[in-house]
Amino acid sequence: MSLKEILMKLAEEKSPVLLCDTQSEWQVESLLGSLSEPRLRTAAYMQPGLYIAEISEGGYLGRVLYKIKEKNP
């Protein structure tokens, strides 16, 4: 699965989450609109409620791209 597919799924589901990297918190729609196509094509895995991580060429989990944070109502 690609990062784009994961983000699109979260956006379609209107998931009440923020995605956090080491510097900022992002709304899903903002990331979809601002990330480059090569970055969006990155193979990725989402552990619901925890993180989105890269998948290496060997098929192993790599570094965490975004931590998943529930939005406060």
Side-chain angles (χ1 to χ4, degrees):
M1 183 172 269
S2 71
L3 179 57
K4 183 176 185 176
E5 291 170 317
I6 292 170
L7 295 177
M8 288 178 64
K9 181 179 177 186
L10 288 171
E12 288 170 3
E13 294 173 352
K14 299 192 184 314
S15 297
V17 297
L18 293 172
L19 301 177
C20 308
D21 61 14
T22 58
Q23 300 175 0
S24 301
E25 292 181 349
W26 304 86
Q27 293 190 23
V28 174
E29 297 82 6
S30 297
L31 278 177
L32 273 170
S34 64
L35 294 175
S36 67
E37 276 303 313
R39 178 43 114 188
L40 289 171
R41 286 193 301 263
T42 300
Y45 171 77
M46 181 177 72
Q47 179 64 44
L50 296 175
Y51 60 81
I52 298 172
E54 285 181 316
I55 298 178
S56 71
E57 290 181 21
Y60 298 101
L61 286 179
R63 70 182 175 98
V64 171
L65 299 172
Y66 301 101
K67 292 180 182 176
I68 298 172
K69 178 180 172 184
E70 297 290 323
K71 283 185 189 177
N72 292 328

